[in-house]
Amino acid sequence: QMQLVESGGGSVQAGGSLRLSCAASREMDSTGYMGWFRQAPGNHREGVASISSFAGRTYYADFVKGRFTISQDNAKKTVYLQMNSLSPEDSAMYYCAYTQFSPGAPMGQFNYRYWGQGTQVTVSS
């Protein structure tokens, strides 16, 4: 079992920054991946970034490259998403998700079994 709790969301002006955290109930498996996803009202859920537990390899959606950074702590129980240069298009509910097994598509939502409740990010123009 794995439980995830997101935090760090809030309201910021365009160009601002936020740092999201995802606290896991246990250490990630060596084969595990943690991903960040987001969903705005009326939109489908989309992958934002992901990281492999063992090697720390990172993956990013094109629309966040150069602005967002995903990372994990040494204990591999917390994953972060540093978000810079935020724009209104980034406004969404952000979710962290975990898969025990290395996915073929690291940012495919259906590859992730465990999900947090989400944290709201609102960016005003």
Side-chain angles (χ1 to χ4, degrees):
Q1 185 63 268
M2 176 70 93
Q3 293 179 316
L4 308 173
V5 180
E6 303 97 332
S7 62
S11 298
V12 297
Q13 295 287 323
S17 298
L18 285 173
R19 188 192 190 203
L20 307 183
S21 298
C22 176
S25 60
R26 63 172 176 84
E27 180 182 352
M28 289 183 283
D29 303 276
S30 61
T31 56
Y33 276 62
M34 191 78 79
W36 284 98
F37 297 80
R38 70 186 189 186
Q39 186 170 17
N43 292 351
H44 296 289
R45 187 169 298 180
E46 58 186 358
V48 176
S50 63
I51 187 168
S52 66
S53 176
F54 179 74
R57 183 180 295 274
T58 57
Y59 306 84
Y60 297 97
D62 287 341
F63 54 81
V64 303
K65 285 183 178 178
R67 299 189 298 125
F68 292 9
T69 302
I70 188 171
S71 61
Q72 63 184 345
D73 64 359
N74 292 334
K76 299 188 177 182
K77 290 187 66 177
T78 305
V79 173
Y80 306 95
L81 184 67
Q82 178 67 46
M83 306 187 295
N84 299 324
S85 301
L86 287 164
S87 68
E89 290 71 30
D90 296 314
S91 297
M93 184 73 74
Y94 282 72
Y95 302 88
C96 66
Y98 176 74
T99 177
Q100 184 178 355
F101 309 103
S102 300
M107 292 194 294
Q109 63 173 316
F110 298 111
N111 294 321
Y112 291 82
R113 181 175 182 178
Y114 304 98
W115 293 79
Q117 292 182 293
T119 184
Q120 180 67 46
V121 172
T122 303
V123 185
S124 58
S125 60

